[in-house]
Amino acid sequence: MTPSLNRRQLIQLGTFGLGAMSASASATLARASGFTHGVASGEPSQNSVLLWTRYIGSGDTKLIVEVAQNSDFTGAKMAGEVTALASRDHIAKFVVPDLSENQWYFFRFVAPDGTKSATGRTRTLPEGPTEKFNLGVFGCSNLPFGYFNAYAHAAQRNDLDMVMHTGDYLYEYPVGTYPSTKEALEGRLIDPGHEMVQLADYRLRYAAYRGDPDLQRIHQLYPMVAMWDDHEFTNDAHMSGAQNHQPKTEGDWEVRKRIAEQVYREWMPVRDLDDGGPLWSEYQIGDLATLFMTESRIGGRSEPADLAAALQGQENIQSALTRFRNTIWQDPERQMLGEVQEAWLASAMRQSKASGTKWQVWGQQCVMGELRLPQEAVNWLADDAPAFAKSRVAVGALASEVGLPINLDSWDGYPKARERALLGAQEADADLIVLSGDSHNGWAFNLETSGGAAGVEFGGHSVTSPGIESYLSGADPVTASKALRETNDDLQWCDTSNRGYMTVSLTPDRATSTWHFLDTIRKKSTALKGSESRTVLRGQRRLVGIPMPA
């Protein structure tokens, strides 16, 4: 049985509620000294884990790393020394080797003057027969939209083994844009006030986000595996550019891309890679699951197909949509992962299955299931909906009639790449579970090819970012969910109105995802308004269709 954290140890690790950030907290943190942003851990294996902290001294500062099996550090050992480099924004990362498998550990950093960081808790992965493993899954956390109550709720529980972030850990926009000044929650301030473009901008924005006590807390208590989506770079990023990058005013895309990746790797508990190293990774959870983490933004993704450009100047919209569907949209050359990563994933799934591993779990960024807009959605818009929303819904309804999806920036915009990935799972005879984020709403899909069932997808809703309900406000969530399911055969369940997070429980015979719905994000609270669960049985590759008790 996995060790748990008792009440005494929780107290020793600090209180849950560290309070809300004050209006000037993010700026203050950026100028602070000492241990400024808590601790974190990530990328666990059976015998190692990566530890993270930030320490601001007068320059480079050598820190001692201590690891213990007890929260009071009796019997602690010095795992090693690491330097918080001023040139790396005072970040220190240290991979602890020679640990025991399936074991919880406590860790801290010690400065030259004897001051200590917060105490963190982390764990190694199991090896061999494994009966249960629980993941917490988060995504799309926009700080000014509301409190990170999802992180706070997950930090209060004691049944998770690891947490995952599917991307959009933060957002690049200036103050007053997504959210607008009216939508932004008072006191949830970000630095810098302008869009993050330069190295200092990205670092300041991470410092502001990581000043949030609930985000610090989830990092303190659980190892995190993570991969960026687009907003860690800028909106709708791809290999050669982004919707929200203007070269004339914001410089060369390759430079911005390198800066964004550098700062992500500084501030997140992830490995530093030499230039040219792979962007993907895998984690072996005993004989229970192999977790694959892929990258689908800057490494190999083709530019999203532009439906608006295809329709511009066309008199017969229906004919233009059909032509777009049959040519650009179906182009097999368009990539989501890139050829090398796509081949690696197919091979890794085969190896996982051949080794006797029971589940092949794919953590990635964007919704994979097919989503077309219901025709009645044109009636769901509020009278005061912005013009762009009205245009998007009107075109989306027409596109749906010819089989085109809602969102061309998701896997729906790359149907041939999706088909190749799912065929790879089928050829491996994988028991595939796809975990995704990006859409801000909750989804449960059966994933199919022409050859039949390929696996299931659990799509996570957002921590704070608003979903499609924010502009389709003319329909209640029950009506919207019913229409979406009737329009999309593979969609088994959806939620279009709540913020929160997922937990995914893996056992040898079944995998269950539970979506936890926070009561509010507009004030600090860990109260839930409800939850919903869906299950897949090993060997079936389809959801069983009957909700499990929450």
Side-chain angles (χ1 to χ4, degrees):
M1 177 178 289
T2 302
S4 62
L5 193 68
N6 61 37
R7 180 173 177 80
R8 178 181 63 85
Q9 292 169 327
L10 285 171
I11 293 172
Q12 288 172 329
L13 285 179
T15 58
F16 284 120
L18 302 181
M21 274 202 300
S22 67
S24 60
S26 60
T28 301
L29 282 167
R31 298 190 297 268
S33 61
F35 292 105
T36 63
H37 285 81
V39 295
S41 68
E43 302 197 340
S45 72
Q46 279 68 29
N47 56 22
S48 68
V49 68
L50 183 151
L51 307 181
W52 179 102
T53 195
R54 184 174 191 245
Y55 183 90
I56 300 179
S58 58
D60 294 349
T61 305
K62 186 172 290 186
L63 306 174
I64 293 172
V65 184
E66 293 184 340
V67 176
Q69 292 186 345
N70 299 305
S71 57
D72 57 8
F73 280 79
T74 55
K77 68 173 183 178
M78 188 183 85
E81 293 182 329
V82 63
T83 301
L85 297 171
S87 63
R88 299 286 286 178
D89 209 11
H90 306 278
I91 302 298
K93 289 190 285 187
F94 182 81
V95 177
V96 183
D98 303 322
L99 299 176
S100 299
E101 55 92 15
N102 200 32
Q103 174 68 51
W104 287 100
Y105 288 94
F106 299 90
F107 67 93
R108 65 190 180 192
F109 296 82
V110 183
D113 63 0
T115 59
K116 298 177 177 64
S117 70
T119 295
R121 183 186 70 156
T122 191
R123 65 160 295 162
T124 53
L125 297 179
E127 189 168 5
T130 303
E131 293 302 310
K132 191 171 186 179
F133 198 86
N134 291 335
L135 278 169
V137 183
F138 303 88
C140 304
S141 38
N142 189 317
L143 187 145
F145 266 117
Y147 289 108
F148 290 163
N149 292 335
Y151 296 138
H153 185 273
Q156 288 182 350
R157 56 196 301 157
N158 197 28
D159 60 346
L160 298 179
D161 296 296
M162 187 166 67
V163 296
M164 173 193 296
H165 206 290
T166 58
D168 294 344
Y169 184 90
L170 47 59
Y171 286 73
E172 81 277 16
Y173 296 110
V175 171
T177 298
Y178 199 69
S180 66
T181 303
K182 181 179 178 181
E183 293 170 318
L185 188 62
E186 184 177 359
R188 301 286 285 171
L189 301 183
I190 53 173
D191 282 320
H194 55 268
E195 182 177 332
M196 58 183 195
V197 177
Q198 305 298 332
L199 178 66
D201 302 337
Y202 280 88
R203 285 174 167 173
L204 279 170
R205 190 63 58 89
Y206 275 91
Y209 270 70
R210 287 291 290 275
D212 181 88
D214 297 316
L215 180 52
Q216 283 193 27
R217 184 65 173 172
I218 200 71
H219 275 299
Q220 180 187 5
L221 292 180
Y222 295 107
M224 177 182 284
V225 295
M227 176 49 69
W228 57 67
D229 193 20
D230 54 337
H231 290 288
E232 289 89 343
F233 294 82
T234 192
N235 186 54
D236 288 356
H238 50 88
M239 188 166 55
S240 56
Q243 177 275 330
N244 194 29
H245 179 76
Q246 292 73 45
K248 289 184 179 180
T249 58
E250 295 173 332
D252 184 80
W253 170 243
E254 291 299 321
V255 172
R256 186 175 185 179
K257 195 164 64 171
R258 287 197 298 271
I259 287 171
E261 180 176 356
Q262 174 187 326
V263 179
Y264 181 90
R265 294 193 180 282
E266 289 172 350
W267 277 87
M268 296 294 287
V270 300
R271 56 190 161 155
D272 292 318
L273 294 180
D274 296 329
D275 291 342
L279 298 177
W280 51 88
S281 57
E282 65 180 283
Y283 302 88
Q284 189 64 34
I285 304 170
D287 67 348
L288 185 60
T290 308
L291 171 61
F292 310 103
M293 294 292 289
T294 58
E295 192 282 331
S296 60
R297 283 294 175 183
I298 63 165
R301 179 194 280 246
S302 306
E303 183 175 359
D306 190 344
L307 182 56
L311 297 180
Q312 190 172 10
Q314 300 296 313
E315 294 183 3
N316 189 326
I317 298 297
Q318 203 74 8
S319 176
L321 286 168
T322 302
R323 187 164 53 252
F324 174 86
R325 179 198 66 195
N326 294 340
T327 55
I328 298 172
W329 185 60
Q330 292 281 353
D331 184 356
E333 297 300 315
R334 301 183 63 255
Q335 298 280 341
M336 188 72 155
L337 302 178
E339 291 182 3
V340 175
Q341 187 178 193
E342 191 177 277
W344 166 80
L345 180 61
S347 174
M349 284 193 288
R350 288 194 299 272
Q351 293 173 24
S352 172
K353 186 69 176 183
S355 73
T357 301
K358 296 174 176 65
W359 298 100
Q360 287 67 49
V361 182
W362 179 9
Q364 53 90 50
Q365 292 72 58
C366 296
V367 171
M368 179 166 265
E370 298 181 31
L371 270 177
R372 288 176 290 115
L373 193 67
Q375 294 301 306
E376 56 265 47
V378 295
N379 301 316
W380 296 351
L381 284 162
D383 292 338
D384 61 349
F388 83 87
K390 293 178 179 178
S391 173
R392 183 178 297 176
V393 170
V395 172
L398 286 172
S400 180
E401 289 187 345
V402 300
L404 286 169
I406 300 172
N407 182 13
L408 296 179
D409 187 59
S410 71
W411 280 90
D412 261 341
Y414 304 79
K416 293 300 184 183
R418 173 174 57 197
E419 182 180 33
R420 290 193 299 268
L422 293 179
L423 285 172
Q426 288 177 319
E427 290 168 2
D429 194 30
D431 279 280
L432 177 66
I433 301 169
V434 176
L435 305 178
S436 58
D438 186 62
S439 78
H440 306 175
N441 296 111
W443 313 95
F445 285 96
N446 290 327
L447 299 174
E448 308 267 352
T449 71
S450 57
V456 304
E457 177 179 19
F458 299 134
H461 46 322
S462 62
V463 171
T464 59
S465 302
I468 60 173
E469 76 284 351
S470 61
Y471 57 89
L472 295 179
S473 56
D476 66 83
V478 174
T479 299
S481 176
K482 183 174 183 292
L484 283 162
R485 284 183 285 109
E486 289 175 347
T487 304
N488 300 280
D489 292 340
D490 292 342
L491 178 61
Q492 304 302 297
W493 171 86
C494 67
D495 171 79
T496 64
S497 61
N498 290 293
R499 310 280 74 82
Y501 69 107
M502 286 193 302
T503 53
V504 178
S505 176
L506 301 171
T507 71
D509 298 323
R510 65 175 58 211
T512 299
S513 176
T514 301
W515 292 261
H516 306 277
F517 309 134
L518 272 299
D519 186 59
T520 182
I521 60 169
R522 302 298 288 182
K523 63 180 182 180
K524 284 187 71 68
S525 171
T526 55
L528 294 182
K529 68 169 62 172
S531 60
E532 188 80 24
S533 297
R534 291 292 184 274
T535 292
V536 58
L537 303 179
R538 189 159 62 93
Q540 288 195 0
R541 301 180 179 89
R542 285 189 174 93
L543 296 166
V544 297
I546 302 173
M548 295 294 294

